[in-house]
Amino acid sequence: MRFGELELISLTDGFFRLDGGAMFGVVPKPLWEKRTPADDKNRITLGLRPLVVRSADKTMIIDAGIGDKMDAKSIAIYGIERSRNLDHALADAGLDAGSIDIVLASHLHFDHAGGFTKRDAAGTLAPRFPRARYVARTAEWEDATHPHERNRASYLQENFVPLMDAGVLDLVPDDAVIMPSVRVVRTGGHTMHHQIVLIESADRTAVFAADLIPTTAHIDVPWIMGYDLYPMDTLAFKRTFIRAAIEREYLIFFEHDPVVAAGYIREKDGRKYVEPATIDNP
Ligand SMILES: [Zn+2]
């Protein structure tokens, strides 16, 4: 998809499943299951959709999916299905791991950073994108490397510590421009330093919303994940953000939606809905 000076390419790293109740927080199942049916273990299917942003001279990927380091037990628990994964999606876009200059993290949970590293033939962990600089938020890095009982299962050290060891990690302390027309904005909420990515080109704004609005089923303000560590912070940020998204017609990328990669939030008669964007990727 052309976006002003830039090219945006939505990729997939397959699908996984999480508990439907946890995905919708305080929303009762009779309401959420109308939007997203659950399997026999009460799990719902979620997408894994990293986004590539290309300019004339830089190629960036935002998040990198769940990766291939999970053991059989975790693959079963999370219902991971990667028969079509990020390598396939990169190849379809005429790219490979070596094409990527910048890897930007929304945050460091395993379903976003799992694809940051890989095991080589000898079993040694290494950066998955061999030429890339990796960019994460300083305080998110601190939280990820000092997990507590509540977030330990989400912050798998194998996904990011090897980046520091390899000297390819750049920590950014605040909201900042990561490449021309692309900046990060801290939302808090999901994690204290979770961030979204705003792409502003030719008077339009695209947003990689990460876990602020993980799927199109989450566009109502109180539909907030039970996973969020600070749900009232999510609520405050989301309320303002969704208003702006409707008024300014942001093109929103939904990282975990199983069907809709991107769209516009619209409102009619007080009801919000998503108009999917047409994405004609190579
Ligand atoms: Zn996530």
Side-chain angles (χ1 to χ4, degrees), residues 118-134:
K118 61 169 188 193
R119 270 183 217 290
D120 65 20
T124 311
L125 288 161
R128 188 255 192 87
F129 301 95
R131 292 192 316 107
R133 300 296 304 179
Y134 288 72

Side-chain angles (χ1 to χ4, degrees), residues 111-112 211 256:
D111 52 321
H112 302 255
D211 280 343
H256 288 314

Side-chain angles (χ1 to χ4, degrees), residues 16 18 107 109 111-112 190 210-211 214 225 255-256:
F16 74 128
L18 290 173
H107 62 304
H109 284 172
D111 52 321
H112 302 255
H190 182 61
D211 280 343
M225 290 191 282
E255 189 172 10
H256 288 314

